[in-house]
Amino acid sequence: MNLLSSPNPILGTTVSLHSFKPKAINKDNHKHNYIHNSCIMMHKRVNSEAPNKLSTTTELDEHLLEPITKPCLCGRRHFIEGAATATLTTTQFPIQPATATNSDSDYTALVNKFHPPKPDWYQKFYAWVLSSFTKSYEAEVARYKSQIFSNLKEKKANKILEIGIGTGPNLSYYGSNPDVQVVGIDPNPEMEKYARSSAASAGLPLSNFEFIHAVGEVIPLSDNSVDAVVGTLVLCSVKDVDMTLKEVRRVLRPGGVYLFVEHVAAKDGTFLRLLQRILDPLQQTLADGCHLSRDTGDSITRAGFSSVELDIAFLSNASFVNPHVYGIAYQ
């Protein structure tokens, strides 16, 4: 998530708003590509009552995976295994409740690895800022969000994961569906009260909503467990974009969709791109790790989805945090 300032005179008074005319980017043999890009490791269960059962986890990176002869300390496997014995009666997602105190300490450590904890005052202040000062941005981006979120009903996506849910502004687009069940993850626990308020305002029963303190790089859900993943203004802030997208693909069921709205770096050689490079360090400090100069659209198109529909828009209320890419990626 990022802080959005007032309109920037650099962009001029004319704002280019594109209608949603997606450019299809097809990729054949995406299953093979995904397997090639994301090595699947088989680990023996340690200290388990069912020693013959194997657990599959996606390789994170070399320094997170212990040798197969040692207990797995990555956290996510323990997180998911704990959920296998007790399914939530609310969302019915294969997850472990965020209030668990048993094996989630390893996962919390992993969350802190990817998103080092900030002081409590900063997390509270940042959550309040996003709740109070992004209304004009949300009003302008609504036309694009409405176009992509309409696909959730068409796809009958009832189990939805939103990564970087923040204060929950997207819930108004799909929370009114009486059949929808939502899990929202965010590394800032102070976002929860705002997200729950947004869920209630959207008409989403709180029994159908679960907030989890988590990061996109290690999503605490089982493989093929959701119909759709939603992410808006989140890949700018994660530590590892490619790892997050691998996790998105892992939790999506076959035929599932990933809906996204992300700001990306301006075109090379422009003054706006130069300005973004200059302001990038300050933006990361003030806006909880937000990067101004990432080519996120390229990352999404090469992530291994079967096809990607992507378009570009400039938003006057986003100032130098432009342009934006928005669209749908198909599992």
Side-chain angles (χ1 to χ4, degrees), residues 253-293:
R253 65 166 177 78
V257 292
Y258 167 47
L259 310 181
F260 59 89
V261 178
E262 299 286 350
H263 68 82
V264 297
K267 187 177 179 180
D268 280 331
T270 63
F271 178 74
L272 180 56
R273 181 63 177 263
L274 175 62
L275 181 64
Q276 288 173 342
R277 288 173 177 165
I278 295 172
L279 296 178
D280 206 0
L282 179 62
Q283 177 79 354
Q284 292 178 45
T285 301
L286 297 179
D288 203 11
C290 171
H291 292 71
L292 292 173
S293 54

Side-chain angles (χ1 to χ4, degrees), residues 110-164:
L110 194 56
V111 169
N112 293 340
K113 176 181 178 62
F114 285 106
H115 189 274
K118 303 292 192 302
D120 288 344
W121 69 265
Y122 178 89
Q123 296 189 119
K124 292 178 180 179
F125 176 72
Y126 191 62
W128 174 77
V129 167
L130 289 184
S131 176
S132 304
F133 295 101
T134 58
K135 291 180 175 59
S136 59
Y137 168 82
E138 289 296 335
E140 187 174 2
V141 78
R143 60 180 295 183
Y144 306 110
K145 287 187 175 182
S146 296
Q147 291 166 4
I148 62 175
F149 283 124
S150 64
N151 288 268
L152 293 177
K153 286 187 178 181
E154 297 175 7
K155 295 291 183 179
K156 296 182 179 179
N158 293 330
K159 292 188 175 183
I160 299 174
L161 164 69
E162 181 157 352
I163 57 175

Side-chain angles (χ1 to χ4, degrees), residues 308-329:
V308 176
E309 297 173 356
L310 180 150
D311 211 337
I312 301 176
F314 278 83
L315 304 180
S316 62
N317 282 295
S319 186
F320 55 85
V321 189
N322 264 306
H324 281 50
V325 294
Y326 64 99
I328 307 168

Side-chain angles (χ1 to χ4, degrees), residues 21-281:
K21 298 179 180 179
K23 309 176 184 69
I25 304 174
N26 295 312
K27 296 188 176 183
D28 297 329
N29 300 321
H30 62 282
K31 291 184 179 178
H32 297 287
N33 291 336
Y34 180 53
I35 293 174
H36 178 267
N37 291 329
S38 177
C39 177
I40 303 300
M41 305 294 292
M42 300 297 290
H43 291 268
K44 294 182 180 179
R45 294 169 62 98
V46 179
N47 298 326
S48 171
E49 296 180 359
N52 294 326
K53 185 177 180 180
L54 293 178
S55 173
T56 303
T57 59
T58 305
E59 182 180 19
L60 301 180
D61 54 28
E62 294 179 358
H63 65 280
L64 290 178
L65 288 175
E66 296 290 338
I68 198 167
T69 57
K70 297 182 180 180
C72 175
L73 301 179
C74 68
R76 190 187 70 201
R77 182 173 65 83
H78 294 293
F79 206 74
I80 295 174
E81 287 177 355
T85 59
T87 303
L88 286 177
T89 58
T90 53
T91 62
Q92 298 297 317
F93 278 37
I95 62 177
Q96 181 174 342
T99 56
T101 57
N102 191 7
S103 62
D104 66 339
S105 59
D106 290 336
Y107 185 79
T108 299
L110 194 56
V111 169
N112 293 340
K113 176 181 178 62
F114 285 106
H115 189 274
K118 303 292 192 302
D120 288 344
W121 69 265
Y122 178 89
Q123 296 189 119
K124 292 178 180 179
F125 176 72
Y126 191 62
W128 174 77
V129 167
L130 289 184
S131 176
S132 304
F133 295 101
T134 58
K135 291 180 175 59
S136 59
Y137 168 82
E138 289 296 335
E140 187 174 2
V141 78
R143 60 180 295 183
Y144 306 110
K145 287 187 175 182
S146 296
Q147 291 166 4
I148 62 175
F149 283 124
S150 64
N151 288 268
L152 293 177
K153 286 187 178 181
E154 297 175 7
K155 295 291 183 179
K156 296 182 179 179
N158 293 330
K159 292 188 175 183
I160 299 174
L161 164 69
E162 181 157 352
I163 57 175
I165 192 170
T167 59
N170 297 325
L171 293 170
S172 62
Y173 295 94
Y174 61 85
S176 60
N177 181 350
D179 298 321
V180 75
Q181 299 168 338
V182 182
V183 168
I185 66 172
D186 200 282
N188 184 348
E190 296 298 329
M191 298 291 184
E192 180 173 4
K193 63 180 179 180
Y194 297 102
R196 289 192 177 278
S197 177
S198 295
S201 298
L204 177 66
L206 292 183
S207 60
N208 284 9
F209 178 70
E210 183 75 12
F211 180 97
I212 300 178
H213 178 218
V215 292
E217 289 91 343
V218 198
I219 297 173
L221 298 181
S222 298
D223 297 358
N224 309 319
S225 58
V226 299
D227 302 319
V229 176
V230 171
T232 63
L233 301 186
V234 60
L235 294 183
C236 60
S237 300
V238 300
K239 185 174 183 180
D240 192 317
V241 175
D242 292 336
M243 184 181 294
T244 300
L245 290 170
K246 286 181 180 179
E247 283 290 271
V248 168
R249 292 212 57 216
R250 180 184 64 80
V251 300
L252 273 175
R253 65 166 177 78
V257 292
Y258 167 47
L259 310 181
F260 59 89
V261 178
E262 299 286 350
H263 68 82
V264 297
K267 187 177 179 180
D268 280 331
T270 63
F271 178 74
L272 180 56
R273 181 63 177 263
L274 175 62
L275 181 64
Q276 288 173 342
R277 288 173 177 165
I278 295 172
L279 296 178
D280 206 0

